[in-house]
Amino acid sequence: REARERRLHRVARDVLAGDRRERARAEDPSADDGVPSPDPVLGLDLLREAASEGREVWLEMVDPHGTPVRRRVRPVRVDAGRVRLLDAERETEMTVAVHRIATVTPV
């Protein structure tokens, strides 16, 4: 019971934080708190926004070996289950399955 209440508290906290971020963006689209989005839906929304505006994001993902990786990338396209990205530092284009994405943070 106590573990369930803690999970519910975390979910409520994350939802409220997302609501605050969305309100801040609606009031001032250039404002960003720089907080990574652990919510997959918010993360995909950030990736779609960045792709449409040509902006870079910090992407934390898990590689095929289970190792966390953080890269500064520019999303090109967000499709069903996949994100196409440009990694300028490594001069590569890659496709990442969305289930491998942990967080997305605006640069």
Side-chain angles (χ1 to χ4, degrees):
R1 177 174 160 86
E2 189 175 313
R4 181 174 179 233
E5 286 180 19
R6 281 194 308 266
R7 281 193 308 269
L8 288 172
H9 179 70
R10 281 193 307 264
V11 168
R13 183 193 63 215
D14 291 346
V15 167
L16 291 172
D19 287 346
R20 283 192 297 273
R21 269 196 301 272
E22 289 304 311
R23 276 196 303 276
R25 280 192 195 131
E27 292 171 9
D28 181 5
S30 66
D32 200 323
D33 57 9
V35 175
S37 174
D39 181 323
V41 174
L42 291 177
L44 288 174
D45 284 344
L46 285 171
L47 288 168
R48 284 187 188 97
E49 279 180 23
S52 71
E53 298 171 7
R55 290 185 293 119
E56 291 185 328
V57 296
W58 284 106
L59 185 72
E60 292 184 42
M61 60 187 160
V62 179
D63 74 8
H65 306 290
T67 306
V69 177
R70 185 172 192 230
R71 292 190 181 180
R72 186 175 175 160
V73 297
R74 185 172 60 84
V76 175
R77 186 177 176 139
V78 180
D79 288 320
R82 293 180 291 214
V83 180
R84 205 167 108 222
L85 309 159
L86 294 176
D87 185 336
E89 183 178 311
R90 291 172 181 78
E91 297 180 355
T92 60
E93 183 174 315
M94 60 189 190
T95 302
V96 176
V98 296
H99 72 272
R100 293 200 174 271
I101 297 172
T103 62
V104 179
T105 309
V107 171

